[in-house]
Amino acid sequence: MVAPDHILVELIDPESGDVRPFDVGATGELVYTALGREASPVLRFRSGDHVIVTSDGRSGGVRTTPAVRCFGRTDDMLIVRGVNLFPSAVQDVVAATPGTNRVMRVVADFPGHTTQDNLKVLVERAEGGDPKGDAVLKSNIEGRIRNALSVKADVTIIDANFFEKPGARKLSLTLRKMPELRGM
């Protein structure tokens, strides 16, 4: 962290928003507030970065501010080959593709939130859709994702209604492990 005279950096609990001290080993989300703003409001910016404090900056070293290491995200953003990607953006591309059931899941079966592999995406075929057309549908979706989001995707077409309907609860578009695809 640099320029403490210009930017206020806080460590908060991602769930409650309570401020935590920068003690070695403490974890939380970083929040930034620009102090040198003129003619505009001062805003607190939640970074979404889940960090651990590795040095408190008070231990008598050269550093006078805390050092942190990012080990995850508090939101669902993924970094795929250096591209920031929200699963909802992939859902928008899939929903606009004819031949799908507008239902998909991103499989983030890697540790943390960053990968150098292609993005794995499961897409439901439209109800009544012919499985013989899966290769063309797969290629179409992969091309649309690459053009719209600048990431390469490895799409797997699955049967319609494979995923349970969410009802009123919030839907997670990210799976942390590949589900068993029941003979697909």
Side-chain angles (χ1 to χ4, degrees):
M1 288 181 256
V2 295
D5 294 341
H6 302 283
I7 298 175
L8 172 65
V9 181
E10 297 172 282
L11 184 67
I12 66 166
D13 179 311
E15 300 296 320
S16 68
D18 294 338
V19 177
R20 295 180 171 170
F22 278 100
D23 294 331
V24 174
T27 62
E29 180 180 357
L30 288 179
V31 176
Y32 303 103
T33 305
L35 301 174
R37 305 289 301 182
E38 293 183 24
S40 66
V42 175
L43 299 175
R44 288 178 85 212
F45 171 73
R46 288 184 69 156
S47 68
D49 292 330
H50 202 177
V51 301
I52 184 167
V53 179
T54 58
S55 168
D56 60 9
R58 301 180 296 240
S59 303
V62 176
R63 183 177 202 95
T64 58
T65 57
V68 298
R69 181 179 56 82
C70 182
F71 65 89
R73 298 281 304 168
T74 57
D75 57 17
D76 61 351
M77 187 184 83
L78 302 171
I79 301 174
V80 180
R81 293 187 173 182
V83 176
N84 293 356
L85 181 78
F86 285 95
S88 58
V90 179
Q91 181 184 38
D92 292 344
V93 171
V94 169
T97 305
T100 72
N101 205 20
R102 302 174 52 105
V103 176
M104 65 99 236
R105 298 293 185 279
V106 170
V107 180
D109 57 353
F110 45 86
H113 64 284
T114 304
T115 184
Q116 291 298 314
D117 295 332
N118 291 347
L119 183 68
K120 295 177 189 169
V121 184
L122 302 175
V123 178
E124 286 188 7
R125 178 185 319 108
E127 287 191 49
D130 187 357
K132 293 177 184 171
D134 285 355
V136 172
L137 182 58
K138 169 186 168 71
S139 178
N140 184 14
I141 295 169
E142 288 174 349
R144 286 173 175 246
I145 290 172
R146 184 178 54 253
N147 291 338
L149 305 175
S150 301
V151 297
K152 288 185 178 179
D154 181 14
V155 172
T156 301
I157 306 298
I158 57 178
D159 291 335
N161 301 313
F162 177 83
F163 293 109
E164 180 182 330
K165 302 294 181 248
R169 71 181 194 276
K170 185 178 177 189
L171 175 68
S172 175
L173 298 176
T174 306
L175 303 174
R176 278 300 178 173
K177 67 178 192 172
M178 181 67 81
E180 185 178 322
L181 297 178
R182 298 186 291 227
M184 295 191 171

